[in-house]
Amino acid sequence: MTTSRTHRPRRAVIYIRLSVYRGEADPTTSPASQEARCRAYAESKGWDVVDVVRDLDVSGSDKGLRLDRPGLASIRERFHDVDVVIFAKLDRLARNVLDFNRFAEEARTHDVDLVSVAESLDLSTPGGRFVAQILAAFAEMEAATIAERTKLGKETAVTKLGRYGGNTPPYGYRIVEHPSGRGSALEIDPEEAAHIREAARLVLDGGSLYGAAQMLNETGSKPHRAERWGWSTLRAVLVGDAVLGRVKHRGRLILGDDGLPEVRWEPIFTLEESQRLRAILARPSDLPKDSPARAVAEQEHTTRTRAARLLSGLLTCSGCGRPMRAGVFPRRGEKVGRYVCSAEGARCPAPVTITATLVEDYVAEVFLGMAGLMPVFEVRTMNRDAAEVAQVEQAIAETTDELRAPDADIAALVERLTILRQRRDELAAQPAEPEVVKVDTGEMMAARWEREDVAGRRALVHSVLTGPMTVHPGKRGPKRLDPDRLDIPWRWEDIDVDAEIADAARVD
């Protein structure tokens, strides 16, 4: 100690902390009770209490502010004016050894002693510091135990008692009180469910995700975690598990005794509707390699890719046979949309360009004139048991993971695996090839054209072509399209229309 400190009473600051402040009525850890014990100790030592610093409703655990608590931070800033810091109990100061040692070292460098009243510890001595570290370790273990009990309690509420453990419900649902009167549950939100069912109907009828998302935005609907609907946000909802009334915990579906996903809430879609949506919206990477379903999905993914313009990817240059690309190019002081040969440099002996609006308007006019009154058929490649196969495979994988847990119920899990494998064998015995289903949508090509976006209209045109259209060089003259510049391989020109009308009307 410095000489000046030895000739005057020691200046003490009392520190009080309470994680949950219930008022002064709490006889054990209330601020008044803590202060009284600390003042009594200071009086017995002849110390002057110069201040009482409080952190109320402030946690001392790792998830709290730790040493950055407002009150404790103020003490650290005034170490130079203090001789001793008194607290009622060690865990009032720190909940883990690391924080305790850090604070104690700061105090020591400023020649400030720490005193814990409940443990009668004077940390100015080596023995006191040793015992304090042991007690701090126990406080850290107690905090971890409390956190683990809280965590297990939440898990039990979600996995065993059927409560909803989230703060934001999935789209199409709202949070309500659980029937037991404790915790939360989910119920269908009629307005949101109607929106998502309409979006699903549009997709099932052959519309694009982009168009369905635009429809939702126009109705004023908003997703729960974004300002507007986009195609990726909508896809996540349509192919998700929540619309089937299923719940995930820690990224895994909650399973029943049979190993299959439990249905906790009323589903928005039937399993068959969900299967159809997942088949249509499947990304190739979602499916097993070398499977027929993946080959179909890769083809559909390519043809459904959103185009920049109506005929992007459908035109080729007569000079070299390479695809033509769409772009905006300057012409007489204005920017004009054009399709140009994609060959670079001198690789094309006679590169072709054509005004985008002229060729698009012409193709659209011919298409609607010839195919406008044709019915729209959809050819869907599906495996009617694909959804259940995926459920069973996922359940087997998750049950196998559960077997590795130290506290696993081996007998129950083995019984579940046996049931799941039997069901998988039953499904494997069924035909593996996807079933091709032709569906009459009840809509005419012209009506579908009116409600589609650019990508959807491009798919309609593509569906009635046998190959790409070839563009020939034009002649100088009026700004109109010479039909002779285009070779369009329409399906109906070389085939029996009556025999192939469904294929001619197919939408990829």
Side-chain angles (χ1 to χ4, degrees):
M1 301 297 169
T2 62
T3 303
S4 61
R5 290 191 177 191
T6 60
H7 290 84
R8 57 169 172 73
R10 305 190 73 189
R11 296 167 298 179
V13 170
I14 294 174
Y15 177 67
I16 296 169
R17 185 186 66 78
L18 205 56
S19 296
V20 180
Y21 181 42
R22 298 187 178 91
E24 299 296 338
D26 189 336
T28 55
T29 58
S30 71
S33 174
Q34 293 184 46
E35 182 178 345
R37 281 179 282 168
C38 292
R39 282 190 179 277
Y41 190 92
E43 184 178 351
S44 69
K45 296 291 186 179
W47 298 341
D48 286 342
V49 176
V50 297
D51 199 2
V52 177
V53 178
R54 298 173 175 84
D55 276 322
L56 304 182
D57 280 325
V58 178
S59 172
S61 69
D62 290 345
K63 292 185 178 181
L65 297 173
R66 300 180 67 168
L67 296 185
D68 292 327
R69 293 166 243 157
L72 199 60
S74 70
I75 293 177
R76 295 166 68 192
E77 291 175 356
R78 54 187 293 192
F79 269 151
H80 59 282
D81 293 329
V82 177
D83 298 319
V84 60
V85 177
I86 310 174
F87 34 93
K89 193 176 180 182
L90 196 61
D91 63 5
R92 299 302 90 194
L93 178 67
R95 278 285 193 173
N96 62 66
V97 177
L98 181 64
D99 286 348
F100 167 76
N101 283 339
R102 179 182 167 193
F103 188 84
E105 181 61 22
E106 286 186 24
R108 188 190 65 77
T109 58
H110 289 85
D111 206 14
V112 174
D113 294 330
L114 306 179
V115 172
S116 177
V117 176
E119 294 87 3
S120 298
L121 285 178
D122 184 346
L123 276 69
S124 64
T125 66
R129 289 193 294 271
F130 174 72
V131 175
Q133 287 192 20
I134 295 176
L135 292 175
F138 275 105
E140 181 177 2
M141 182 177 66
E142 180 186 3
T145 301
I146 292 173
E148 184 64 22
R149 283 201 301 265
T150 302
K151 178 181 173 183
L152 290 175
K154 290 182 178 179
E155 288 185 354
T156 299
V158 172
T159 60
K160 303 297 183 184
L161 303 181
R163 299 174 190 162
Y164 180 68
N167 295 321
T168 303
Y171 188 84
Y173 291 90
R174 60 191 178 196
I175 297 177
V176 295
E177 184 180 1
H178 193 273
S180 66
R182 299 183 62 185
S184 302
L186 293 181
E187 72 174 13
I188 287 181
D189 183 309
E191 183 177 354
E192 291 186 353
H195 287 320
I196 206 64
R197 284 173 179 143
E198 177 62 15
R201 187 192 66 77
L202 290 176
V203 173
L204 292 173
D205 286 347
S208 67
L209 274 173
Y210 177 79
Q214 290 297 100
M215 179 276 295
L216 289 177
N217 289 327
E218 290 171 2
T219 64
S221 169
K222 286 186 177 182
H224 288 179
R225 294 181 174 86
E227 286 299 316
R228 289 176 56 82
W229 287 99
W231 69 266
S232 59
T233 306
L234 178 57
R235 180 188 181 279
V237 173
L238 293 178
V239 303
D241 290 294
V243 291
L244 291 172
R246 300 170 179 172
V247 177
K248 283 188 174 182
H249 182 64
R250 292 190 175 184
R252 293 183 176 180
L253 286 170
I254 296 176
L255 307 179
D257 294 335
D258 59 358
L260 297 177
E262 283 191 359
V263 178
R264 290 288 181 86
W265 329 116
E266 181 184 353
I268 294 176
F269 299 148
T270 65
L271 189 60
E272 181 182 359
E273 289 170 334
S274 175
Q275 178 186 341
R276 291 174 61 199
L277 285 166
R278 292 184 181 197
I280 292 172
L281 301 177
R283 294 173 297 198
S285 58
D286 296 335
L287 303 170
K289 291 183 178 179
D290 302 324
S291 67
R294 178 160 181 162
V296 171
E298 287 175 341
Q299 181 180 4
E300 292 184 352
H301 178 76
T302 300
T303 58
R304 290 176 66 92
T305 300
R306 188 182 177 194
R309 296 196 67 102
L310 177 65
L311 302 181
S312 292
L314 302 182
L315 302 178
T316 58
C317 172
S318 63
C320 61
R322 291 185 176 87
M324 300 182 71
R325 62 183 178 87
V328 178
F329 304 91
R331 182 180 181 183
R332 297 176 182 175
E334 297 181 356
K335 292 185 177 180
V336 179
R338 302 183 67 81
Y339 292 95
V340 300
C341 178
S342 61
E344 297 179 0
R347 290 195 297 171
C348 179
V352 175
T353 70
I354 193 168
T355 303
T357 55
L358 292 180
V359 66
E360 289 169 353
D361 290 346
Y362 174 76
V363 171
E365 181 181 356
V366 175
F367 168 80
L368 293 173
M370 296 293 293
L373 297 180
M374 289 182 178
V376 178
F377 285 85
E378 292 180 3
V379 177
R380 297 174 184 156
T381 305
M382 300 170 55
N383 184 335
R384 293 195 181 277
D385 294 317
E388 187 174 359
V389 170
Q391 286 186 61
V392 172
E393 291 290 358
Q394 183 178 6
I396 289 175
E398 294 185 352
T399 303
T400 303
D401 287 343
E402 290 183 41
L403 281 169
R404 300 188 181 98
D407 57 347
D409 187 343
I410 303 298
L413 292 174
V414 169
E415 181 180 359
R416 182 199 294 174
L417 269 179
T418 302
I419 295 173
L420 289 170
R421 285 170 175 165
Q422 289 175 348
R423 181 56 183 158
R424 182 177 63 182
D425 292 341
E426 293 173 0
L427 295 172
Q430 299 176 6
E433 289 298 318
E435 180 181 3
V436 177
V437 182
K438 184 181 291 185
V439 180
D440 184 349
T441 65
E443 193 173 20
M444 296 295 118
M445 282 282 195
R448 174 66 67 86
W449 179 276
E450 287 300 318
R451 67 178 182 84
E452 280 291 359
D453 57 10
V454 173
R457 291 181 176 183
R458 175 182 177 273
L460 290 174
V461 173
H462 180 264
S463 71
V464 294
L465 296 175
T466 60
M469 294 177 271
T470 302
V471 182
H472 298 277
K475 299 178 181 179
R476 293 185 178 275
K479 292 185 178 180
R480 63 174 181 268
L481 182 72
D482 180 1
D484 292 337
R485 291 193 63 189
L486 285 177
D487 288 337
I488 306 178
W490 299 113
R491 282 183 181 272
W492 51 73
E493 290 188 350
D494 298 316
I495 61 177
D496 183 345
V497 176
D498 292 334
E500 302 292 339
I501 189 171
D503 288 335
R506 189 183 71 180
V507 177
D508 288 330

